[in-house]
Amino acid sequence: MQDKFRDNDLNFIVFTGDCDATQDEILEKAKIRFNVEVDRKNLRFIYLKSRWLVEAENYPRFTLLLQTLAGFIVGCEALWKANPEVFIDSMGYPFTLPLFRWIAGSKVACYVHYPTITSEMIGLVESRTVSYNNDARIAYNRLLTNAKVLYYRMFALLYRLCGMCSNVVMVNGSWTENHINELWKVKATKVYPPCDVAELLALPKHAEKILSSENRINILSIGQIRPEKNYPLQLEAISEVKKRLADYNSHIKIRLLITGSCRHEEDMQRAKMLKEKAEHEFGLTDEDVEWNLNVTIDRLRELLQNSLIGIHTMWNEHFGISVVEGLAASSIMVAHNSGGPKLDIIGVDEQCGFLANSVTEYADAIMQVINISKEQRDIIRKNARESFFQRSSVKEFMEFAGKLSVERSSTSTRSSIKEQEYFCHCYVRADNLAGLCVTDSEYQARVAFSMLTKVMDEFEQAIPASKWPLIPNEKDCQFTKLNELLVKWQNPREADALTRVQDEVQETKIVLHDTIQAVLDRGEKLDDLVRQSESLSDSSKIFYTQARKMNKCCNWV
C-alpha cells in the first residue's frame, strides 16, 4: 500500500499486542520471514496491552464466544488509541468489524486466515465425533451434544452478522473462500499469503545423496505443536511404514523430523506427551523420530535440504505454507486430502505430491515415494515447480500481455507478436470486439485468425453487442461454448483443414511484430508497465523479472 499510495499523504498504523518487541524487531522479523521491507517514515506501531485476553488458555469452556468477546475488548483499546479512516482486521477478531464500521465510522476490510466456525465443525459435533474441538464427554452425551450444536449455530449466526459489516472481504485460499462465502453470504477475494520461496527454490538438495549413500530417508514435518496439526497420525504412519520396510527386509531406514514452534508452556507439555506417545504407543525410538523445536531459519533450511519427503496431517488446513515451502525445497509432499493442500496446492494439476486421509493412505503414499525411481521422483519435483510456482504467474502475465496488445491495436486489424518460439495473435474487429490467442510456431497465423473470427462470431451470437456494456468484468461473461471451440481447433493440422473449406476467410494484411516491446508507444518500456500494473501480483512481477534475467520469458507457457 505504501508503494501504491506513495503520492498520497497517508499514515499507516499497526496495532500489535507484541508489547515486548520493538518496532525495529517486528519489521526485521517480517523481512527475514517474508522478504518484505516497509518504509518507516509514515508508519506507526500502537501497542495493545489487553491482547493477553484473547489467549485460548484463558477459556477452557465456551472458548469461541469468550475469545471473540475478548477480541472486542482489544478492539476497543485500539479504537481508544487511534480512530483510522480505514480499518483492516487480519487477526480474526470478528466483533471489531461492527465496532470500527458503526461506532468508529471507518471503512472496514478483513483478511480471514481461518473461519472462527465452519459448517464442518458443526457437523462433527452433530455426528458426535470426538476431535480436538469436541471432547469425548460431550460427544458421548446426547443432551450435551444438542446443547453444543445450538451454541455453535447461534455463534455462526453472530459470526455472519459481523462479517456482513466488512466492506471488503479477503481470504487466504479456496477452502477459506468457500466457507466464508457460505457463512457470510458475501463474495470474498482470494489473496494467497506471502510465501517467499526464492531461497528455497535455489537450495541445493542432499536427500537423494543421503538415500543412496546411507540408505536413509528423512521425512520432515513443519508446523506449530498444536492439537489440530494431528501429530499422532504422523507417528502412527511412520510406525506403519517402519513395519512394512521390516516385512520386506528392506535396508532403508526412515526418520521423522518433527520441526515445530512452541508458543507457550502448554505447547511444550504437548511436545513432551507426544514424545512419550511415540515411544510407548508406537514403539518409535530416538533413531526413528527427531524433535527440532523452535529452530533457527538456518537449521530449518538444513532440514529441508536433507529431507526426501515432507508430511502434513492437519485436517482442513486453511492454506498450508509449510506444504508450499516443502515443494519449493524439492521435498515430495504427502499432505491431508482436504483444505488448502487439496484445493490450492497439490490437488490442482499434474501430480506434484500425494494426498491422504488415513494412516494406511499415508503409509501407502510414503512407500510409493520410496519404491519409485529417482527419475520418477524428479518428475514429481518438476511438476511441483512448474505447475504450482509458475503457472499462475504465467497465466497472469499472458493476460496482462494480451490486454496490452489489444489496447495498442487499431480497429479492423490483425497483428501477430513473436516472442522467441511463441506467437500472440490479436484480431480487433471494426466494432472493437477483440480476440487473442497464444500459439507455438507450428500453429499457422492464417489458422489462428480463422479460429478467432469463428470464436468472435459465435460470441456475438450468444451475447449480442447490446449486452456488452452490461458486463461488469470478464468473469461475469458466460460464454460457455469457448472450451468446445478451443478443443475443436486445438490440432493445427485439423484446424487448417477447417479453414481451407471456408470461403469467408478474408485475405487481410497481418502485421507482424518481432517482440511485445514493438507494439508499445514511443518511450514506453515493458518493464515499467509490468512494475506499475495493478493486474499482476507481486509473485508474477518477480517471475517476469527472473525470467527476463534468464531470457526465458515465454518458455513456461
Side-chain angles (χ1 to χ4, degrees), residues 245-444:
L245 290 173
D247 291 341
Y248 298 149
N249 295 318
S250 174
H251 297 294
I252 293 177
K253 302 182 290 291
I254 59 169
R255 194 175 202 192
L256 176 62
L257 310 176
I258 294 181
T259 305
S261 60
C262 294
R263 300 162 295 173
H264 37 56
E265 181 60 27
E266 183 181 346
D267 285 351
M268 295 298 293
Q269 289 299 319
R270 186 174 295 110
K272 182 179 179 180
M273 289 188 292
L274 286 169
K275 291 178 185 179
E276 295 173 353
K277 193 180 190 72
E279 179 181 357
H280 301 304
E281 188 171 334
F282 301 119
L284 299 173
T285 68
D286 290 342
E287 290 296 315
D288 303 315
V289 183
E290 176 183 312
W291 296 83
N292 299 273
L293 303 179
N294 298 326
V295 298
T296 64
I297 190 69
D298 290 335
R299 174 57 178 161
L300 178 60
R301 291 194 188 103
E302 181 184 347
L303 293 168
L304 284 164
Q305 284 181 288
N306 296 334
S307 299
L308 185 78
I309 299 172
I311 187 170
H312 191 82
T313 48
M314 179 176 172
W315 171 68
N316 276 341
E317 173 70 87
H318 49 290
F319 179 65
I321 290 179
S322 64
V323 178
V324 173
E325 292 174 335
L327 292 177
S330 293
S331 297
I332 308 295
M333 291 303 304
V334 183
H336 201 280
N337 189 23
S338 63
K342 177 182 179 180
L343 298 175
D344 293 316
I345 305 173
I346 293 178
V348 296
D349 219 314
E350 293 96 341
Q351 184 180 12
C352 58
F354 295 84
L355 295 170
N357 289 297
S358 62
V359 170
T360 301
E361 290 181 5
Y362 271 94
D364 289 344
I366 293 171
M367 289 299 297
Q368 186 174 344
V369 176
I370 294 173
N371 291 328
I372 61 178
S373 65
K374 178 182 180 300
E375 290 71 25
Q376 290 172 304
R377 288 194 290 269
D378 285 340
I379 290 174
I380 295 175
R381 295 185 183 104
K382 182 175 181 291
N383 288 341
R385 288 169 176 254
E386 293 187 2
S387 294
F388 181 76
F389 294 105
Q390 293 164 341
R391 186 151 300 178
S392 61
S393 293
V394 171
K395 179 182 178 182
E396 279 190 15
F397 188 76
M398 286 175 64
E399 291 176 351
F400 166 78
K403 292 176 181 178
L404 187 64
S405 302
V406 171
E407 291 170 359
R408 297 303 192 274
S409 298
S410 303
T411 57
S412 303
T413 60
R414 291 177 171 87
S415 59
S416 296
I417 303 170
K418 183 178 184 298
E419 191 71 48
Q420 297 186 41
E421 67 266 40
Y422 295 98
F423 286 84
C424 177
H425 303 290
C426 177
Y427 175 28
V428 182
R429 296 194 330 188
D431 57 3
N432 283 323
L433 181 65
L436 181 138
C437 66
V438 178
T439 71
D440 58 20
S441 56
E442 186 182 352
Y443 207 100
Q444 296 182 29

Side-chain angles (χ1 to χ4, degrees), residues 83 104 140 147 192 238 250 293 315 327 372 466 505 543 545:
N83 187 351
Y140 297 147
Y192 289 125
I238 294 302
S250 174
L293 303 179
W315 171 68
L327 292 177
I372 61 178
S466 59
V505 177
F543 167 78
T545 303

Side-chain angles (χ1 to χ4, degrees), residues 12 118 120 168 177 189 197 201 223 228 281 292 319 330 382 386 388 390 392 438 444 448 470 515 549:
F12 297 91
T118 68
E120 290 165 339
V168 176
E177 177 186 29
T189 300
V197 297
L201 288 166
E228 59 266 31
E281 188 171 334
N292 299 273
F319 179 65
S330 293
K382 182 175 181 291
E386 293 187 2
F388 181 76
Q390 293 164 341
S392 61
V438 178
Q444 296 182 29
L470 304 178
T515 65
K549 291 178 181 178

Side-chain angles (χ1 to χ4, degrees), residues 26 113 116 179 203 242 264 403 430 432 449 484 506 534:
I26 295 173
H113 297 268
T116 305
H179 280 283
L203 274 181
K242 183 180 176 183
H264 37 56
K403 292 176 181 178
N432 283 323
F449 285 111
E484 176 188 332
Q506 301 175 359
E534 296 182 4

